[in-house]
Amino acid sequence: MNFADRVALALLGVLGLFIWLHDRAWLADLDSALPLIAAWPLVYWLAGPWQFNQEEFRIHTRWLIAGGLAFLLGWLTSFTFLLSLGWVTAFWAWLGTRTVTATRARLLRLLPLALLGFPWLALDFPTLAWWCRLFAASNAELVYTSLGFSVTREGTQLLVQQMPFDVAPACAGIKALQATFIAGSVLCFLQARTARTYWIGLACLPLVAALANALRVLVIVAAALTFGPEFAAGWFHDFGGWLVFLAMFGLTWLLLELARRWDRPTVRV
């Protein structure tokens, strides 16, 4: 890394800080926002060993222009996702030309993880929590109706066997969703042997998160019906939720491991 590379890194650092401070609504929920910073040391670690080429310093102009336009549009619209997308594009415009082939290939896979290092999900898509809650409630209605229970649903309000349930905003899982995507991206990177498997696994992460949250609601309803509402609303509420997410990620790991073995390269003789 030469002097010009250090200047580029410093400029990206300043722009990254600007994105975080541009909309400080995340300060109201530090517990959910601060874990996102873990994306950056993870990108640095997973992309290693870092090797820069010995060519003269240059930046991919087209990528830089595209990143600049996205950043400008995000600044004008106060859309944090566009600001973040512009930053990641500029990041690639620099390192996509300055690193050797092996490092560049790893960095390309890690661009989604770099994008997750900014708090755009909660800032730009607040209505996503409502859809997550509605999906979980609808799924619970379908499952328990199929099992023969008496179920009535109005929006995110459920009445199962005359016991009321509310899939509240805290049950949407939206606060931990982006951190969950970070963990899932790292899992995909470490497990996937081929680029195809990696990108397919990455594309499935939103579905895995939605299914995990829906399953969590099913488990809590089952606990309330079996052991009573006090038990379900107590320590089991958080413990059961994390247990379900761990189980879903365990299943994801298993599927990625099977895909990794399936993608084992064939030796031609």
Side-chain angles (χ1 to χ4, degrees):
M1 180 183 292
N2 57 32
F3 177 76
D5 290 316
R6 291 186 176 90
V7 171
L9 180 61
L11 289 174
L12 285 171
V14 171
L15 289 176
L17 185 62
F18 170 79
I19 294 173
W20 271 90
L21 298 178
H22 181 254
D23 185 347
R24 293 184 289 275
W26 54 268
L27 288 171
D29 192 11
L30 285 175
D31 291 342
S32 300
L34 290 182
L36 306 183
I37 300 176
W40 298 110
L42 287 170
V43 169
Y44 178 79
W45 172 56
L46 294 173
W50 288 77
Q51 292 180 297
F52 285 76
N53 57 46
Q54 301 302 316
E55 300 176 3
E56 183 180 353
F57 179 85
R58 63 187 180 90
I59 292 180
H60 198 292
T61 307
R62 292 182 179 178
W63 281 113
L64 185 62
I65 292 174
L69 290 175
F71 196 93
L72 178 62
L73 187 59
W75 178 61
L76 293 175
T77 60
S78 295
F79 206 48
T80 306
F81 176 77
L82 288 176
L83 289 171
S84 307
L85 185 62
W87 190 96
V88 171
T89 306
F91 178 73
W92 178 247
W94 167 46
L95 290 177
T97 59
R98 295 294 296 130
T99 52
V100 300
T101 302
T103 304
R104 187 163 59 247
R106 291 191 296 270
L107 278 172
L108 180 60
R109 292 193 187 189
L110 291 169
L111 290 182
L113 181 59
L115 185 63
L116 291 169
F118 297 102
W120 48 267
L121 187 61
L123 293 176
D124 294 340
F125 303 100
T127 58
L128 185 61
W130 161 255
W131 291 107
C132 288
R133 293 166 58 198
L134 186 62
F135 174 75
S138 301
N139 178 73
E141 178 189 22
L142 177 63
V143 169
Y144 282 103
T145 300
S146 301
L147 292 175
F149 289 85
S150 172
V151 182
T152 303
R153 181 180 67 86
E154 289 188 14
T156 60
Q157 306 284 331
L158 285 168
L159 193 66
V160 184
Q161 296 294 97
Q162 303 305 313
M163 184 180 293
F165 296 90
D166 179 19
V167 185
C171 297
I174 194 69
K175 290 185 176 182
L177 185 59
Q178 197 164 337
T180 302
F181 286 161
I182 290 175
S185 299
V186 173
L187 180 63
C188 290
F189 185 88
L190 294 175
Q191 286 295 111
R193 183 183 292 271
T194 64
R196 181 188 63 179
T197 302
Y198 172 75
W199 292 110
I200 291 176
L202 212 62
C204 290
L205 286 180
L207 177 61
V208 171
L211 290 177
N213 191 59
L215 181 59
R216 184 176 68 89
V217 172
L218 290 177
V219 169
I220 291 175
V221 171
L225 293 174
T226 306
F227 302 105
E230 294 81 8
F231 173 81
W235 64 270
F236 183 80
H237 187 274
D238 292 333
F239 175 78
W242 281 111
L243 193 63
V244 168
F245 272 100
L246 288 175
M248 289 298 292
F249 268 96
L251 178 60
T252 303
W253 174 85
L254 179 60
L255 293 175
L256 286 170
E257 178 65 18
L258 292 174
R260 187 178 70 86
R261 295 182 180 184
W262 180 266
D263 286 335
R264 183 174 297 171
T266 301
V267 178
R268 297 182 181 273
V269 295

